[in-house]
Amino acid sequence: LKAYLAKESMPMSEPRLDFERPPVVERVVTVVAKMDGEIYASNFDAWRTEVQAEYPIYEPVSQWLINAEIKEGELATDPRKAQLKIIPRFSKKTGKAGFDWSLRSPQGSLTMNMHSGGHLRRRYDDLRAEFSRWLSRWIEHFEVEEFQILNLTYVNVVNRDTAPDFSTEDGRLLLEKLITVFVPLPGKHQDIVPPLDCTVNLRIRPDPPATLLIHLFGVPAVPQRPTVRLDLTVETQVPSGTSREQLFEILDWCHERILNQFKIVFTEEAIKGFGPIYT
Amino acid sequence: MIFATPPQPLGMPAQYAETALDLPKIGIRVPNNLSLDQFIFTYPNRLIALDGGKVLLRLRHDAVIEMDPASSECTVAGWSLTVPYDQIHDISRLMGRRFLQLFSRAKSGKLTQDEESDWTTLLDQIDYQSFSIDRDPPRYVEGTILRKTPKLRVEWHDGEKAYIPPSAGTSLQVLNEGDAFGAFVKWGRSDIELIERVELLTDLAPDERA
């Protein structure tokens, strides 16, 4: 694993890229691991007390999951096979206030969301450091022995605020000049109008398997401020026996894949428009 | 470019972002010809923590939740428990509280006729024996250390011999082989979970012991 990661890593001497008007509004890391159900249930209350000392807002996510499958070309639902899932979620600000750092810890996984944009200038290193701190506590608390999957997501939002040079006077967004994926579309058209929702999942490594998901979609907003969201997600299986330190090497690898993709999915003009700063 | 099937176990990467950006509020919409009260939701969390996690209430099956769109409330079947939609995230705590409510009333003989029926129905759904074992406090017992290596082995006062799991045996490591001791011991469902408040009895005559 170490040799593989080293082969794909970027040279250390390459300057680091930052932006004056970064489109990244959220970075999310998730690790999935084997966890004993009884240990989780027994230790959750103590974990909640520990987390709430720093992440005081507790707003669990309730998911009402309905089973749906396509039968003979029609969507069929079996109302007897629905499920309720509750995901514990802690944050520093409420959802209504827009969140600021949040942490989810259902049985078998730990997710950390770091919010940024506007005056909040945060980088991958900030997420890495905070995740590292809580991962150690989580491993100890729930006696985690084996990691299984690692997932890193970057949420980019493009609108007149992040890309002022790519909006027309009446507020329309010049998408073709900003983004290289899914646009332009063949044929003659005037504008793209909602709904816009394009997803592609790419295999980027066969073993251990890793994928890159690109998701471009329109975000409902006030008409004068058309907004699109471009999510980049790298997910990889974690080899058996991976240590905590090695997990962070894999996380860095995921980060590099996202950075590389970022430079490709946005046009050179767009990247210049975000106000690049090399440090 | 080739279009392939996803490698197992990875399929479509999961999305965990919080960013919503002025998304309109989404209500619960159900397919045509169905109403929400026809849906039966199961809640797959079968372990409910009591006493801060020291005691676990083990459910034999997933809890079943029935919806009532008229009142915007859900009912946990067999628990006589109603929870508003917007409080459903608290379901485990509320189930634990409901159990304790009936348990306490049953213990003090104060169950009403309806509650008695609720309590009987609820008992069918949980592993009451493991709850009792979890809840049982440590008991004072006496024993003798037979040997410490390779595994800690003791003989209890009733003549029964047992190996002590390493996690529970640390408090006996201060003793010598052959030492008689008294201690508070907590038995779990499969083995000893805790040994605490150890006393050395070797130098005490049997009638001087606690």
Side-chain angles (χ1 to χ4, degrees):
Chain A
L1 173 69
K2 215 162 192 172
Y4 193 91
L5 290 170
K7 192 173 68 184
E8 294 212 14
S9 288
M10 288 193 303
M12 292 300 284
S13 56
E14 188 168 307
R16 297 173 55 153
L17 184 59
D18 200 356
F19 297 100
E20 280 175 33
R21 292 175 294 281
V24 186
V25 296
E26 186 176 349
R27 295 168 175 90
V28 192
V29 57
T30 294
V31 66
V32 178
K34 275 187 190 165
M35 187 182 285
D36 180 86
E38 294 220 352
I39 292 175
Y40 178 76
S42 301
N43 296 346
F44 182 78
D45 284 348
W47 169 251
R48 180 174 166 174
T49 305
E50 187 172 336
V51 175
Q52 281 195 283
E54 293 186 39
Y55 289 68
I57 312 294
Y58 183 58
E59 291 177 326
V61 182
S62 308
Q63 291 182 333
W64 299 94
L65 304 170
I66 290 174
N67 167 278
E69 50 190 319
I70 295 173
K71 277 184 184 167
E72 295 169 4
E74 283 191 12
L75 189 68
T77 305
D78 185 345
R80 293 160 303 173
K81 287 186 181 171
Q83 207 176 59
L84 169 67
K85 276 194 177 173
I86 310 287
I87 299 169
R89 177 179 57 186
F90 307 88
S91 57
K92 297 194 177 185
K93 266 190 196 174
T94 61
K96 273 188 182 168
F99 291 112
D100 183 25
W101 287 101
S102 58
L103 192 150
R104 297 181 189 201
S105 52
Q107 184 189 328
S109 74
L110 177 70
T111 294
M112 180 165 279
N113 300 55
M114 181 181 76
H115 305 85
S116 57
H119 65 283
L120 284 175
R121 305 302 298 271
R122 289 176 181 147
R123 310 178 58 133
Y124 165 73
D125 291 348
D126 299 317
L127 177 66
R128 192 185 193 278
E130 184 71 353
F131 186 63
S132 168
R133 207 161 63 83
W134 282 98
L135 183 75
S136 301
R137 294 182 184 187
W138 182 73
I139 291 169
E140 194 181 331
H141 214 94
F142 295 113
E143 301 174 27
V144 173
E145 285 177 2
E146 188 160 321
F147 306 117
Q148 293 174 311
I149 289 174
L150 188 65
N151 178 306
L152 181 67
T153 296
Y154 268 47
V155 177
N156 300 283
V157 167
V158 184
N159 56 26
R160 208 160 53 179
D161 300 334
T162 53
D165 301 337
F166 298 88
S167 290
T168 60
E169 280 185 8
D170 58 357
R172 287 178 298 160
L173 207 56
L174 302 170
L175 213 53
E176 285 182 29
K177 292 195 171 180
L178 275 164
I179 291 166
T180 60
V181 282
F182 307 121
V183 285
L185 293 161
K188 281 190 177 178
H189 321 281
Q190 191 180 339
D191 289 329
I192 298 174
V193 292
L196 165 67
D197 195 344
C198 309
T199 307
V200 65
N201 193 22
L202 304 167
R203 183 183 294 176
I204 54 173
R205 189 179 59 190
D207 189 25
T211 54
L212 166 75
L213 183 90
I214 306 171
H215 186 194
L216 174 73
F217 57 105
V219 177
V222 288
Q224 293 76 20
R225 201 182 57 146
T227 300
V228 294
R229 202 172 119 176
L230 180 64
D231 291 4
L232 299 171
T233 299
V234 170
E235 186 165 289
T236 181
Q237 194 178 320
V238 179
S240 177
T242 296
S243 68
R244 186 190 165 287
E245 289 67 30
Q246 285 171 325
L247 187 78
F248 279 88
E249 288 179 32
I250 300 174
L251 182 62
D252 291 342
W253 180 87
C254 294
H255 175 234
E256 284 165 13
R257 303 284 77 71
I258 285 182
L259 281 191
N260 289 343
Q261 203 62 31
F262 183 90
K263 292 177 199 164
I264 302 168
V265 295
F266 286 106
T267 63
E268 278 184 35
E269 267 181 291
I271 288 177
K272 279 181 197 161
F274 298 143
I277 309 164
Y278 289 95
T279 54
Chain B
M1 183 171 269
I2 294 166
F3 182 55
T5 51
Q8 293 299 328
L10 295 179
M12 189 75 105
Q15 304 270 316
Y16 304 96
E18 309 275 18
T19 302
L21 287 174
D22 308 326
L23 272 177
K25 286 211 167 182
I26 298 167
I28 303 176
R29 286 192 303 178
V30 295
N32 290 341
N33 308 322
L34 286 172
S35 63
L36 197 56
D37 54 1
Q38 287 177 277
F39 280 83
I40 296 172
F41 287 87
T42 53
Y43 179 51
N45 181 16
R46 292 195 192 176
L47 295 167
I48 294 175
L50 302 172
D51 288 356
K54 291 189 192 82
V55 175
L56 291 179
L57 193 59
R58 294 169 177 82
L59 275 60
R60 295 191 191 280
H61 309 283
D62 293 351
V64 173
I65 297 163
E66 291 159 357
M67 316 289 281
D68 179 11
S71 62
S72 294
E73 287 179 335
C74 334
T75 303
V76 185
W79 286 70
S80 307
L81 178 65
T82 303
V83 186
Y85 287 175
D86 60 357
Q87 296 297 311
I88 196 67
H89 58 265
D90 220 8
I91 182 172
S92 288
R93 187 186 68 79
L94 294 171
M95 287 170 74
R97 184 180 179 279
R98 177 64 179 155
F99 171 81
L100 287 179
Q101 188 182 39
L102 292 176
F103 171 74
S104 307
R105 291 179 73 82
K107 229 175 107 182
S108 56
K110 287 181 183 167
L111 288 173
T112 62
Q113 214 165 8
D114 284 349
E115 284 174 337
E116 210 158 292
S117 157
D118 292 345
W119 180 233
T120 311
T121 311
L122 203 151
L123 284 178
D124 284 341
Q125 300 184 56
I126 59 160
D127 180 352
Y128 190 80
Q129 190 185 4
S130 65
F131 163 76
S132 305
I133 294 169
D134 274 8
R135 198 178 157 92
D136 198 20
R139 280 181 288 138
Y140 179 81
V141 287
E142 293 180 356
T144 305
I145 307 280
L146 294 177
R147 61 170 185 265
K148 292 173 72 177
T149 54
K151 285 182 183 172
L152 182 60
R153 190 163 168 82
V154 302
E155 180 175 349
W156 298 114
H157 61 281
D158 60 2
E160 193 186 325
K161 292 172 185 170
Y163 288 106
I164 308 294
S167 56
T170 47
S171 53
L172 294 180
Q173 289 301 335
V174 69
L175 303 181
N176 290 338
E177 289 182 0
D179 278 346
F181 66 92
F184 283 85
V185 178
K186 163 89 179 124
W187 271 269
R189 283 183 304 146
S190 55
D191 217 330
I192 289 171
E193 287 180 350
L194 178 77
I195 299 176
E196 61 182 8
R197 289 174 274 168
V198 175
E199 291 171 15
L200 180 59
L201 305 177
T202 298
D203 298 331
L204 296 177
D207 58 346
E208 290 178 301
R209 294 177 186 176

